Amino acid sequence: MTMQLLDTLRWLWQKLLPSPCLWCTLPVLNHQQLLCPDCQTALPQLPFALCHYNLLWLPAVSNGLTDCQFDRLLSLAWYQLPFKHWIRRWKFHADAYSAALLQQQFVQLLKHYQAAGHPLPDAIVYVPMTRKKERKRGFNQAKILAELAANNLQLPLLDILQRSKDGAHQVGLNRQQRQKNLKGVFQITCAGKLPAHVALIDDVVTTGATANQLTRLLKQHGASQVSVWTLAVTPAFNYSSSSSSSALALKP
């Protein structure tokens, strides 16, 4: 079935049974949209113009990333509603509609970034999963996002990062526990020198522990600059050293 025929069938289906907006549930106007125009306009926005598409310039981000090893950070939104809901629906429930919406929004962000004239990387890499975990989930969301980025920006995708083992689940761990949990779990299969500028794709950056580990590895193999691109970023917050729970602490 050609893409043109599939698009026509979706258009006919939309006329017969309009799809609901994934936020307000009212009907969308276009079969290619998953949000109605009002909800699209109302989506929480990060101040990209203020920070020149590098969120590390924002105290609400940088204050939560200790010993940050990567050079740039680009994320679609805060890890808060409604994006938090859609990310969890895709990641843990394989919800195709949430996945499609997040992928559309991510590609749109990258196109805005490119149109604004900011530096593109020389290649794309992504945060890997163990084979066991990827088989269990059925997909690696970071890999899917990396493939989208590479295709839309016409950049090479390097499948060079591997994860050898799964530690404890990262959710609920404080910064020190996350760092310990990731010690020695990543390897790189690249024999030669990496390109100078590499973009690392993941779904969410929280404390930056995973991104830092992989950035060190990439820079050890020749990358001089690493950008991290994600769907969402968690605002700066303080971890309690005596508890695995965390309290949100936005700083001015």
Side-chain angles (χ1 to χ4, degrees):
M1 183 180 294
T2 66
M3 292 301 296
Q4 184 176 0
L5 178 57
L6 184 59
D7 190 63
T8 301
L9 291 175
R10 287 174 176 166
W11 178 83
L12 289 171
W13 181 262
Q14 175 70 18
K15 293 298 182 182
L16 294 172
L17 187 63
S19 301
C21 171
L22 290 191
W23 194 353
C24 72
T25 72
L26 292 175
V28 297
L29 302 179
N30 190 304
H31 68 287
Q32 295 178 330
Q33 296 174 339
L34 293 165
L35 293 177
C36 69
D38 290 337
C39 286
Q40 178 64 50
T41 302
L43 282 178
Q45 298 289 323
L46 289 171
F48 298 116
L50 179 66
C51 65
H52 303 283
Y53 284 85
N54 183 1
L55 299 177
L56 296 180
W57 288 20
L58 300 179
V61 173
S62 60
N63 289 347
L65 302 173
T66 302
D67 190 29
C68 184
Q69 299 295 309
F70 44 97
D71 305 281
R72 301 179 66 89
L73 175 63
L74 179 65
S75 299
L76 180 59
W78 295 119
Y79 188 55
Q80 296 173 342
L81 296 175
F83 286 96
K84 182 177 181 178
H85 170 74
W86 294 325
I87 291 170
R88 294 183 66 84
R89 287 293 304 171
W90 180 21
K91 190 172 179 178
F92 300 117
H93 303 281
D95 181 15
Y97 291 103
S98 295
L101 172 62
L102 291 168
Q103 291 168 35
Q104 286 179 4
Q105 299 290 322
F106 187 64
V107 168
Q108 185 176 6
L109 172 63
L110 295 183
K111 288 181 177 179
H112 288 323
Y113 174 86
Q114 183 181 29
H118 296 288
L120 290 178
D122 301 305
I124 304 286
V125 297
Y126 59 90
V127 175
M129 298 169 65
T130 61
R131 293 182 180 179
K132 179 180 178 181
K133 187 171 183 179
E134 188 168 350
R135 283 196 302 268
K136 182 178 180 180
R137 181 171 294 177
F139 61 92
N140 179 352
Q141 64 279 358
K143 182 178 181 180
I144 293 172
L145 293 170
E147 290 170 343
L148 282 171
N151 289 336
N152 280 273
L153 299 176
Q154 296 297 296
L155 296 171
L157 175 61
L158 306 181
D159 189 11
I160 58 172
L161 296 174
Q162 293 183 348
R163 183 165 185 155
S164 59
K165 62 180 180 178
D166 282 318
H169 203 290
Q170 294 282 74
V171 176
L173 300 183
N174 63 30
R175 191 183 315 279
Q176 291 74 25
Q177 290 169 328
R178 285 171 180 256
Q179 292 172 343
K180 183 178 179 180
N181 192 37
L182 293 170
K183 188 175 181 179
V185 304
F186 296 116
Q187 294 83 36
I188 193 166
T189 61
C190 180
K193 186 178 180 181
L194 289 174
H197 184 188
V198 176
L200 173 66
I201 309 292
D202 200 3
D203 55 351
V204 179
V205 60
T206 303
T207 66
T210 299
N212 279 339
Q213 289 274 2
L214 288 170
T215 296
R216 291 189 189 97
L217 195 57
L218 293 167
K219 289 187 174 181
Q220 287 170 6
H221 286 77
S224 58
Q225 183 178 173
V226 175
S227 296
V228 175
W229 294 351
T230 70
L231 291 175
V233 55
T234 301
F237 58 123
N238 298 326
Y239 283 96
S240 169
S241 59
S242 60
S243 171
S244 62
S245 62
S246 54
L248 187 65
L250 285 174
K251 299 182 181 180

Short mmCIF file of all heavy atoms in Angstrom, two decimals, residues 124-157:
data_model
loop_
_atom_site.label_atom_id
_atom_site.label_comp_id
_atom_site.label_asym_id
_atom_site.label_seq_id
_atom_site.Cartn_x
_atom_site.Cartn_y
_atom_site.Cartn_z
N ILE A 124 24.52 11.12 14.55
CA ILE A 124 23.53 10.86 15.60
C ILE A 124 23.84 9.52 16.26
O ILE A 124 24.14 8.53 15.58
CB ILE A 124 22.11 10.80 15.02
CG1 ILE A 124 21.77 12.09 14.25
CG2 ILE A 124 21.08 10.52 16.12
CD1 ILE A 124 21.49 13.28 15.09
N VAL A 125 23.78 9.47 17.60
CA VAL A 125 23.84 8.21 18.34
C VAL A 125 22.66 8.21 19.33
O VAL A 125 21.99 9.23 19.49
CB VAL A 125 25.18 8.03 19.08
CG1 VAL A 125 26.34 7.97 18.10
CG2 VAL A 125 25.40 9.16 20.09
N TYR A 126 22.44 7.11 19.98
CA TYR A 126 21.31 7.03 20.91
C TYR A 126 21.66 6.18 22.12
O TYR A 126 22.58 5.35 22.09
CB TYR A 126 20.08 6.45 20.21
CG TYR A 126 20.26 5.07 19.63
CD1 TYR A 126 19.98 3.93 20.38
CD2 TYR A 126 20.73 4.90 18.34
CE1 TYR A 126 20.17 2.67 19.86
CE2 TYR A 126 20.91 3.63 17.80
CZ TYR A 126 20.63 2.52 18.57
OH TYR A 126 20.82 1.26 18.04
N VAL A 127 20.92 6.39 23.20
CA VAL A 127 21.13 5.62 24.43
C VAL A 127 20.63 4.19 24.20
O VAL A 127 19.47 3.98 23.87
CB VAL A 127 20.39 6.27 25.61
CG1 VAL A 127 20.51 5.40 26.86
CG2 VAL A 127 20.93 7.68 25.88
N PRO A 128 21.51 3.20 24.38
CA PRO A 128 21.12 1.82 24.10
C PRO A 128 20.40 1.16 25.27
O PRO A 128 20.45 1.63 26.41
CB PRO A 128 22.47 1.14 23.84
CG PRO A 128 23.41 1.88 24.76
CD PRO A 128 22.93 3.31 24.78
N MET A 129 19.71 0.06 24.95
CA MET A 129 19.12 -0.82 25.94
C MET A 129 19.78 -2.19 25.81
O MET A 129 20.35 -2.50 24.77
CB MET A 129 17.60 -0.96 25.71
CG MET A 129 16.84 0.34 25.85
SD MET A 129 15.12 0.20 25.27
CE MET A 129 14.45 -0.97 26.46
N THR A 130 19.70 -3.00 26.85
CA THR A 130 20.16 -4.38 26.70
C THR A 130 19.22 -5.10 25.74
O THR A 130 18.06 -4.73 25.59
CB THR A 130 20.17 -5.11 28.05
OG1 THR A 130 18.84 -5.15 28.57
CG2 THR A 130 21.09 -4.43 29.05
N ARG A 131 19.73 -6.12 25.08
CA ARG A 131 18.90 -6.88 24.14
C ARG A 131 17.70 -7.49 24.84
O ARG A 131 16.59 -7.53 24.28
CB ARG A 131 19.74 -7.97 23.48
CG ARG A 131 20.83 -7.43 22.55
CD ARG A 131 21.59 -8.57 21.90
NE ARG A 131 22.63 -8.06 21.01
CZ ARG A 131 23.47 -8.83 20.32
NH1 ARG A 131 23.38 -10.15 20.44
NH2 ARG A 131 24.38 -8.29 19.54
N LYS A 132 17.91 -7.97 26.05
CA LYS A 132 16.81 -8.59 26.81
C LYS A 132 15.69 -7.58 27.07
O LYS A 132 14.51 -7.88 26.86
CB LYS A 132 17.35 -9.14 28.12
CG LYS A 132 16.28 -9.80 29.00
CD LYS A 132 16.90 -10.32 30.29
CE LYS A 132 15.82 -10.93 31.20
NZ LYS A 132 16.42 -11.43 32.47
N LYS A 133 16.06 -6.38 27.51
CA LYS A 133 15.06 -5.37 27.83
C LYS A 133 14.37 -4.87 26.57
O LYS A 133 13.15 -4.63 26.57
CB LYS A 133 15.71 -4.21 28.59
CG LYS A 133 14.70 -3.19 29.10
CD LYS A 133 15.36 -2.18 30.02
CE LYS A 133 14.34 -1.22 30.59
NZ LYS A 133 14.98 -0.24 31.51
N GLU A 134 15.13 -4.72 25.48
CA GLU A 134 14.52 -4.25 24.24
C GLU A 134 13.55 -5.29 23.68
O GLU A 134 12.49 -4.93 23.16
CB GLU A 134 15.60 -3.92 23.21
CG GLU A 134 15.05 -3.24 21.96
CD GLU A 134 16.13 -2.65 21.07
OE1 GLU A 134 17.31 -2.60 21.51
OE2 GLU A 134 15.80 -2.26 19.94
N ARG A 135 13.90 -6.56 23.79
CA ARG A 135 12.97 -7.61 23.34
C ARG A 135 11.71 -7.61 24.19
O ARG A 135 10.60 -7.77 23.67
CB ARG A 135 13.65 -8.98 23.41
CG ARG A 135 14.64 -9.26 22.30
CD ARG A 135 14.96 -10.74 22.20
NE ARG A 135 15.49 -11.26 23.45
CZ ARG A 135 16.80 -11.33 23.72
NH1 ARG A 135 17.68 -10.91 22.83
NH2 ARG A 135 17.22 -11.82 24.88
N LYS A 136 11.85 -7.41 25.48
CA LYS A 136 10.70 -7.41 26.38
C LYS A 136 9.78 -6.23 26.09
O LYS A 136 8.55 -6.40 26.05
CB LYS A 136 11.19 -7.35 27.83
CG LYS A 136 10.06 -7.39 28.86
CD LYS A 136 10.62 -7.39 30.28
CE LYS A 136 9.49 -7.43 31.30
NZ LYS A 136 10.03 -7.41 32.71
N ARG A 137 10.36 -5.04 25.89
CA ARG A 137 9.55 -3.86 25.60
C ARG A 137 9.05 -3.85 24.17
O ARG A 137 7.97 -3.33 23.87
CB ARG A 137 10.35 -2.59 25.90
CG ARG A 137 9.58 -1.30 25.65
CD ARG A 137 10.34 -0.09 26.16
NE ARG A 137 10.44 -0.12 27.61
CZ ARG A 137 11.11 0.79 28.33
NH1 ARG A 137 11.74 1.77 27.71
NH2 ARG A 137 11.15 0.72 29.65
N GLY A 138 9.85 -4.40 23.26
CA GLY A 138 9.48 -4.44 21.86
C GLY A 138 10.08 -3.31 21.04
O GLY A 138 9.97 -3.34 19.81
N PHE A 139 10.73 -2.36 21.68
CA PHE A 139 11.32 -1.22 20.97
C PHE A 139 12.23 -0.47 21.92
O PHE A 139 12.14 -0.61 23.14
CB PHE A 139 10.23 -0.28 20.44
CG PHE A 139 9.36 0.33 21.52
CD1 PHE A 139 9.68 1.55 22.10
CD2 PHE A 139 8.23 -0.34 21.98
CE1 PHE A 139 8.89 2.11 23.11
CE2 PHE A 139 7.44 0.20 22.99
CZ PHE A 139 7.77 1.42 23.54
N ASN A 140 13.10 0.34 21.34
CA ASN A 140 13.91 1.29 22.08
C ASN A 140 13.49 2.68 21.63
O ASN A 140 13.74 3.07 20.48
CB ASN A 140 15.40 1.06 21.82
CG ASN A 140 16.29 2.06 22.56
OD1 ASN A 140 15.80 3.02 23.15
ND2 ASN A 140 17.60 1.84 22.52
N GLN A 141 12.82 3.42 22.49
CA GLN A 141 12.27 4.72 22.10
C GLN A 141 13.37 5.69 21.70
O GLN A 141 13.19 6.52 20.80
CB GLN A 141 11.41 5.31 23.22
CG GLN A 141 12.13 5.64 24.51
CD GLN A 141 12.34 4.41 25.40
OE1 GLN A 141 11.92 3.31 25.07
NE2 GLN A 141 12.98 4.62 26.54
N ALA A 142 14.55 5.59 22.32
CA ALA A 142 15.66 6.46 21.95
C ALA A 142 16.14 6.17 20.53
O ALA A 142 16.47 7.08 19.77
CB ALA A 142 16.81 6.30 22.94
N LYS A 143 16.17 4.90 20.16
CA LYS A 143 16.58 4.52 18.81
C LYS A 143 15.59 5.04 17.77
O LYS A 143 15.98 5.53 16.71
CB LYS A 143 16.70 3.00 18.70
CG LYS A 143 17.16 2.52 17.33
CD LYS A 143 17.31 1.00 17.31
CE LYS A 143 17.80 0.52 15.95
NZ LYS A 143 17.97 -0.96 15.91
N ILE A 144 14.29 4.93 18.07
CA ILE A 144 13.26 5.42 17.14
C ILE A 144 13.42 6.93 16.93
O ILE A 144 13.35 7.43 15.81
CB ILE A 144 11.86 5.08 17.67
CG1 ILE A 144 11.65 3.56 17.65
CG2 ILE A 144 10.78 5.78 16.85
CD1 ILE A 144 10.38 3.10 18.33
N LEU A 145 13.63 7.66 18.02
CA LEU A 145 13.82 9.11 17.92
C LEU A 145 15.10 9.44 17.14
O LEU A 145 15.12 10.40 16.36
CB LEU A 145 13.88 9.74 19.31
CG LEU A 145 12.58 9.69 20.13
CD1 LEU A 145 12.85 10.12 21.57
CD2 LEU A 145 11.50 10.56 19.50
N ALA A 146 16.14 8.65 17.35
CA ALA A 146 17.40 8.88 16.63
C ALA A 146 17.23 8.65 15.14
O ALA A 146 17.77 9.39 14.31
CB ALA A 146 18.48 7.97 17.19
N GLU A 147 16.48 7.62 14.77
CA GLU A 147 16.22 7.35 13.36
C GLU A 147 15.44 8.49 12.72
O GLU A 147 15.73 8.91 11.59
CB GLU A 147 15.46 6.03 13.21
CG GLU A 147 16.30 4.80 13.55
CD GLU A 147 15.49 3.52 13.63
OE1 GLU A 147 14.23 3.62 13.73
OE2 GLU A 147 16.09 2.44 13.61
N LEU A 148 14.47 9.03 13.46
CA LEU A 148 13.71 10.18 12.95
C LEU A 148 14.62 11.39 12.76
O LEU A 148 14.53 12.09 11.74
CB LEU A 148 12.59 10.54 13.94
CG LEU A 148 11.34 9.68 13.92
CD1 LEU A 148 10.44 10.05 15.10
CD2 LEU A 148 10.57 9.85 12.62
N ALA A 149 15.46 11.66 13.74
CA ALA A 149 16.37 12.81 13.65
C ALA A 149 17.31 12.66 12.47
O ALA A 149 17.53 13.60 11.70
CB ALA A 149 17.15 12.95 14.96
N ALA A 150 17.89 11.47 12.32
CA ALA A 150 18.83 11.24 11.23
C ALA A 150 18.16 11.39 9.86
O ALA A 150 18.70 12.00 8.94
CB ALA A 150 19.45 9.85 11.37
N ASN A 151 16.96 10.84 9.73
CA ASN A 151 16.25 10.91 8.44
C ASN A 151 15.83 12.33 8.10
O ASN A 151 15.96 12.77 6.95
CB ASN A 151 15.02 10.01 8.48
CG ASN A 151 15.38 8.53 8.47
OD1 ASN A 151 16.44 8.16 8.01
ND2 ASN A 151 14.50 7.69 9.00
N ASN A 152 15.33 13.07 9.08
CA ASN A 152 14.83 14.41 8.80
C ASN A 152 15.93 15.45 8.62
O ASN A 152 15.75 16.44 7.91
CB ASN A 152 13.87 14.85 9.91
CG ASN A 152 12.49 14.26 9.78
OD1 ASN A 152 11.63 14.81 9.10
ND2 ASN A 152 12.26 13.12 10.41
N LEU A 153 17.06 15.22 9.25
CA LEU A 153 18.18 16.16 9.14
C LEU A 153 19.24 15.69 8.15
O LEU A 153 20.24 16.37 7.95
CB LEU A 153 18.82 16.39 10.51
CG LEU A 153 17.91 17.00 11.58
CD1 LEU A 153 18.63 17.09 12.91
CD2 LEU A 153 17.38 18.36 11.15
N GLN A 154 19.00 14.51 7.57
CA GLN A 154 19.94 13.93 6.60
C GLN A 154 21.34 13.79 7.20
O GLN A 154 22.34 14.24 6.63
CB GLN A 154 19.98 14.78 5.33
CG GLN A 154 18.65 14.83 4.57
CD GLN A 154 18.25 13.45 4.04
OE1 GLN A 154 18.92 12.87 3.22
NE2 GLN A 154 17.13 12.94 4.55
N LEU A 155 21.38 13.12 8.37
CA LEU A 155 22.64 12.90 9.07
C LEU A 155 22.86 11.40 9.28
O LEU A 155 21.90 10.63 9.38
CB LEU A 155 22.61 13.60 10.44
CG LEU A 155 22.51 15.12 10.43
CD1 LEU A 155 22.29 15.64 11.83
CD2 LEU A 155 23.77 15.74 9.82
N PRO A 156 24.10 10.97 9.36
CA PRO A 156 24.35 9.55 9.60
C PRO A 156 23.97 9.13 11.02
O PRO A 156 24.17 9.89 11.98
CB PRO A 156 25.87 9.42 9.39
CG PRO A 156 26.41 10.79 9.57
CD PRO A 156 25.34 11.73 9.13
N LEU A 157 23.41 7.93 11.14
CA LEU A 157 23.07 7.35 12.43
C LEU A 157 24.10 6.27 12.75
O LEU A 157 24.25 5.30 11.99
CB LEU A 157 21.66 6.75 12.40
CG LEU A 157 21.21 6.01 13.66
CD1 LEU A 157 21.18 6.94 14.86
CD2 LEU A 157 19.84 5.37 13.44
#
